[in-house]
């Protein structure tokens, strides 16, 4: 582990500190894209309730993801249109998998 003193800005104040390689190489946070619906937990796609091109209203069920023996309904976060469905019934998904792409109507 190599460390050296580096300048670090926090709330407009500059500090000299040691930043480890692990910290410097960490995955940077990115603001989520609301039009890309991803799995927040690993699971299996049980049902897909929509088709590509279909218009949906906020709260409409898009698909059912079974995780930890529970059926979780993925609902539309806003009124929109289904641009692309990236999963199929029976797919086993890890956390963070893109499931549905939406667009504005």
């Amino acid at each position: 582990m190599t460390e050296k003193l580096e300048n670090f800005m926090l709330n407009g104040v500059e500090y000299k500190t040691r930043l480890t390689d692990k910290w410097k190489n960490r995955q940077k946070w990115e603001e989520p894209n609301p039009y890309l619906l991803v799995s927040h937990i690993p699971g299996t796609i049980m049902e897909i309730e929509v088709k590509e091109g279909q218009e949906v209203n906020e709260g409409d069920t898009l698909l059912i993801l079974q995780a930890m023996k529970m059926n979780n309904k993925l609902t539309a976060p806003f009124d929109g249109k289904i641009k692309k469905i990236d999963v199929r019934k029976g797919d086993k998904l890890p956390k963070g998998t893109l499931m549905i792409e939406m667009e504005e109507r």
Side-chain angles (χ1 to χ4, degrees), residues 51-84:
K51 295 181 179 1
E52 290 182 6
Q54 180 177 336
E55 291 189 359
V56 294
N57 296 316
E58 181 177 349
D60 287 353
T61 300
L62 304 178
L63 59 80
I64 298 175
L65 176 72
Q66 185 181 66
M68 299 183 290
K69 298 182 182 179
M70 293 181 63
N71 289 336
N72 301 281
K73 290 182 181 179
L74 176 70
T75 59
F78 51 83
D79 294 347
K81 187 175 178 181
I82 304 300
K83 181 177 180 181
K84 185 176 180 194

Side-chain angles (χ1 to χ4, degrees), residues 6 25 29-31 40 48-49 53-54 58 62-63 67 71 81 84 92:
E6 294 191 30
N25 296 326
W29 181 83
E30 293 180 16
E31 186 166 353
H40 295 288
I48 299 176
E49 305 285 333
Q54 180 177 336
E58 181 177 349
L62 304 178
L63 59 80
N71 289 336
K81 187 175 178 181
K84 185 176 180 194
K92 296 184 184 318

